[in-house]
Amino acid sequence: MTDGRRSGEQASPVQSMDPATTYRHRVPADKLVTGITPNSDIFVLAHFGVPRIELRQWRLQISGMVDRPATLTFEDLLGFAKVEIQSFINCAGFPANPKIATRNVSNAVWAGADLAEVLDSVGVQPSASFIWSYGPDHGTYQKWRADCYVKDLPMERLRSGKVLLAYEMNGEPLSRAHGYPLRLFIPGFYGTNSVKWLSRIELSDRRAPGIFTTELYNDPVPAGSTGLSRGTAPVWEVPPEALIVSPAANAKVPVGPIPIWGWAWGMRQIAFVEISLDKGPSWHRVDAGQRTENSWQRFDFTWNQKTPGAFSVMARATDLDGKTQPDLDARNAVHRIDIEVQRPPGCWSGSPVS
Ligand SMILES: Nc1nc2c(c(=O)[nH]1)N[C@H]1C(S)=C(S)[C@@H](COP(=O)(O)O)O[C@H]1N2
Ligand SMILES: [Mo]
């Protein structure tokens, strides 16, 4: 570990942005059938596109309110203990429109160095209360332009569970789209905070300026509530949410016992899930399955529907704090799908031969 960076020399230079425009990979809910999402089905969101970074040129700089600023190579990072955490990752959706639910979610085993341990090695000063993280990807995103992607998280977060400097996803090195060679991974926080292509960490006593922390991913809050900036709240902790995997939206299913299942997740463990088949008045409570570290949890329900017709299925999660989901107009609004229950195909319905 050295701090031998010559002034003007850029750490982790980006060879090119490829693609150089917003890149998304979306996976429909009914494809999320395995507990661990295969790497090819983990959604991707890259605001500016995907940078190409050479491992031998990549560095992680740590500066700001620390006793010993450092510049780490990838080798240096591998010198720290490798920590594995199973966790969901959930995109917050459209940053300028927090009322739209986009439901991009996956669940994976993330591995890397423990951020707290790396920070201990450089000595965080007591007045530091925010960790700023930088990705060198740059360009335009909708009407915004920036030279890098910068987010922040409060130091307190390190007290409620590990945060990773992750270099593996499901046992494989990160792919370029997912942040090669290194990304931040904050279990329980919205995906936007887990900075990919991580190249710089700065300790500060205030929130990071920049469009991704001030204008975007910073929700307006009603007057009278408290927020870190006046009238806004950072999009950090994931509130409870449930996603119906099966049946698929607009599926046609036969009458009889109809299995309904899906995933539920949040910063806090999910206590139970409720299913409604009448658009809200009545709810059936089911167990939220086991949670491994910060993983999503599986819920299952069997619906005995004996007559055909058009129906809606809704699923709603409640966490151990008793917090649940809003019906509408929120990024974690209750998931509702429409399905058609049909008579099974068979020879018991006939029509006259003309
Ligand atoms: N440097 C950088 N990090 C980033 C982003 C980005 O555009 N640039 N997008 C964020 C958003 S909004 C999400 S949801 C997650 C997505 O991670 P994934 O593509 O690995 O699923 O990465 C986050 N980290
Ligand atoms: Mo996101």
Side-chain angles (χ1 to χ4, degrees), residues 43-47 91 137 149 178 183 191-192 194 196-197 217:
F43 75 86
V44 177
L45 193 295
H47 293 82
C91 177
D137 46 324
Y149 183 82
H178 288 293
R183 77 178 300 166
T192 171
S194 288
K196 301 193 276 190
W197 314 290
Y217 302 109

